[in-house]
Amino acid sequence: MTPDANPDCYTESMLRATVGSGEERDEEDEGEEELRDGGVPFYVNRGGLPVDDETWERMWRHVARIHPGGEALGKKIRGVTDLPKIPVPSVPTYQPTTTIPQRLEAIQKYIRELQYNHTGTQFFEIKKSRPLTALMDIAKEMTREALPIKCLEAVILGIYLTNNMPGVERFPLSFKSHFSGNHFYHIVLGVHSGGRFGALGMSRREDLMFKPLEFRTLMDLVQGFEGAYRGYWHTLRKVKIGQYVSHDPHSVEQIEWKHSVLDVDKLTKEELKKELERHTRDMRLKIGKAAPPSPTKDRRNSMGSPLRGPGSPMRRISRVEKRKSLNPELLPRRRKMAAHCSSGMG
């Protein structure tokens, strides 16, 4: 095995190298790290779906820049009039006798079948400050569109697909690693059930996403990921762990992404173990606390869109108007092209 600079989802090495306008930059607490992929900044589709013409053309220009055969790849895919049909994965369904570990494996299989997004444009905009109900709406859209995704999108999708499993607690688990002068970031969805820990997620690397529900402690789970990073010559520098996420899909709570921030390289093994044990206790305490009530249907309607703060301007063009403005015959073809583009760059 040779060193690989890109074992996970994104890196900060090219953060200051802008691509296009300043709209691609977010504040750190909004997850600025998800704007970099393998050393190259990537775009986020902020206009919703279907993808508007400007974003669509920008994506292909970006593909031409970041892929060695990008321009040729783009011409090859875009020049085909009858692209092969892309199989659409089915959202997992279960029998009453299906065990929790089997259900989690089925969810991970579904996430993997969506494929990792190599296009350089993230199709679903994930703002970490949004309430859970808004993020769950985005997750529903992911299942409808069945487009390739990145690791942060996989975390939101994993929460959505486990909401109906009250015996499974979910929490965000993110990593910062170092390799060859660069810092890399990655995030998965930690899961806890039956006294065991595991994880769901999306990555280029098999051992940096799914972890079966077999780790006795949070320390064991973190060490499992640390060992995977070592296999790619990465040094794990920091681990951020959030709180348990509500199972109420209509909750207006925000996800607590980083309840504990641990400098792994500065802590002894015993100190790290104690910090992770403390965090585990904090998560257990959260279960006993009553979550704020979700708004009723009438109140939700009066609140307006959860995606827009009271001081935010209205969108100039609604999604309905966008759908009308685009040729509907182009939409299935664009989905195929996006999927083929991602596969061709993988």
Side-chain angles (χ1 to χ4, degrees):
M1 183 183 296
T2 57
D4 192 329
N6 305 314
D8 48 17
C9 291
Y10 34 70
T11 175
E12 72 171 8
S13 63
M14 296 286 289
L15 175 63
R16 288 179 293 275
T18 58
V19 182
S21 70
E23 69 171 358
E24 287 72 46
R25 292 174 179 243
D26 269 353
E27 295 298 325
E28 183 176 359
D29 60 1
E30 285 288 328
E32 66 175 10
E33 60 265 22
E34 68 245 32
L35 303 179
R36 300 173 298 283
D37 189 1
V40 179
F42 67 84
Y43 289 99
V44 175
N45 169 34
R46 302 190 188 280
L49 294 172
V51 177
D52 59 52
D53 291 338
E54 182 181 352
T55 303
W56 182 249
E57 293 302 326
R58 184 186 67 184
M59 182 188 83
W60 287 103
R61 291 195 300 270
H62 193 46
V63 166
R65 284 196 296 266
I66 67 176
H67 192 269
E71 192 168 347
L73 177 71
K75 288 180 180 178
K76 178 182 177 182
I77 294 173
R78 302 187 76 177
V80 176
T81 56
D82 188 20
L83 290 166
K85 187 175 180 180
I86 298 294
V88 177
S90 299
V91 176
T93 56
Y94 321 102
Q95 298 297 323
T97 55
T98 306
T99 65
I100 292 298
Q102 289 171 335
R103 294 183 185 208
L104 293 176
E105 287 181 14
I107 290 172
Q108 182 61 50
K109 181 175 181 289
Y110 172 75
I111 291 173
R112 188 182 287 110
E113 286 175 348
L114 290 177
Q115 300 184 34
Y116 188 88
N117 182 356
H118 294 276
T119 65
T121 297
Q122 181 174 300
F123 296 119
F124 302 94
E125 183 183 14
I126 308 295
K127 286 191 174 181
K128 292 182 177 180
S129 59
R130 286 177 176 174
L132 186 60
T133 179
L135 295 175
M136 293 303 94
D137 286 342
I138 295 172
K140 289 179 191 175
E141 194 170 25
M142 290 184 208
T143 62
R144 288 195 301 266
E145 300 295 340
L147 289 166
I149 59 175
K150 292 182 179 291
C151 61
L152 183 59
E153 294 161 298
V155 167
I156 301 303
L157 186 57
I159 293 171
Y160 173 72
L161 295 173
T162 54
N163 272 339
N164 61 350
M165 300 181 195
V168 177
E169 299 299 340
R170 302 78 43 83
F171 58 95
L173 177 62
S174 58
F175 306 95
K176 177 181 179 180
S177 65
H178 182 265
F179 172 80
S180 189
N182 295 317
H183 286 106
F184 294 75
Y185 298 84
H186 182 46
I187 188 167
V188 297
L189 181 67
V191 292
H192 180 254
S193 179
R196 292 290 185 270
F197 288 90
L200 300 169
M202 175 63 85
S203 172
R204 293 183 177 90
R205 304 301 180 189
E206 288 288 326
D207 49 0
L208 284 173
M209 45 183 175
F210 178 65
K211 297 292 182 186
L213 202 62
E214 59 183 29
F215 295 86
R216 190 175 58 85
T217 66
L218 187 53
M219 176 72 170
D220 294 337
L221 178 62
V222 169
Q223 286 185 318
F225 279 101
E226 185 176 23
Y229 274 111
R230 282 199 305 269
Y232 301 110
W233 284 267
H234 278 235
T235 301
L236 190 58
R237 290 289 174 85
K238 189 173 290 188
V239 175
K240 297 179 184 179
I241 317 165
Q243 277 279 22
Y244 284 155
V245 179
S246 170
H247 282 266
D248 179 5
H250 304 299
S251 171
V252 294
E253 285 185 275
Q254 292 180 345
I255 295 174
E256 189 172 352
W257 295 94
K258 47 184 180 182
H259 183 77
S260 296
V261 180
L262 307 178
D263 291 315
V264 179
D265 56 342
K266 297 179 181 178
L267 297 173
T268 66
K269 185 175 180 180
E270 190 59 32
E271 288 171 337
L272 178 62
K273 181 180 178 181
K274 286 182 179 179
E275 288 295 326
L276 292 172
E277 287 174 348
R278 178 193 58 77
H279 185 87
T280 302
R281 289 193 298 270
D282 289 347
M283 289 196 296
R284 287 183 189 140
L285 288 173
K286 166 125 192 239
I287 298 177
K289 293 182 180 178
S294 299
T296 63
K297 184 177 180 181
D298 290 340
R299 184 181 164 209
R300 284 201 301 270
N301 290 338
S302 69
M303 288 168 65
S305 170
L307 307 186
R308 185 174 59 87
S312 302
M314 293 290 290
R315 286 183 180 271
R316 292 182 183 175
I317 305 175
S318 71
R319 288 192 180 184
V320 173
E321 291 170 331
K322 275 187 180 174
R323 289 181 187 273
K324 289 180 180 178
S325 67
L326 290 169
N327 183 347
E329 296 180 359
L330 291 176
L331 305 184
R333 175 170 165 76
R334 284 192 174 182
R335 288 193 187 97
K336 287 183 183 179
M337 280 196 281
H340 279 286
C341 175
S342 186
S343 298
M345 296 180 69

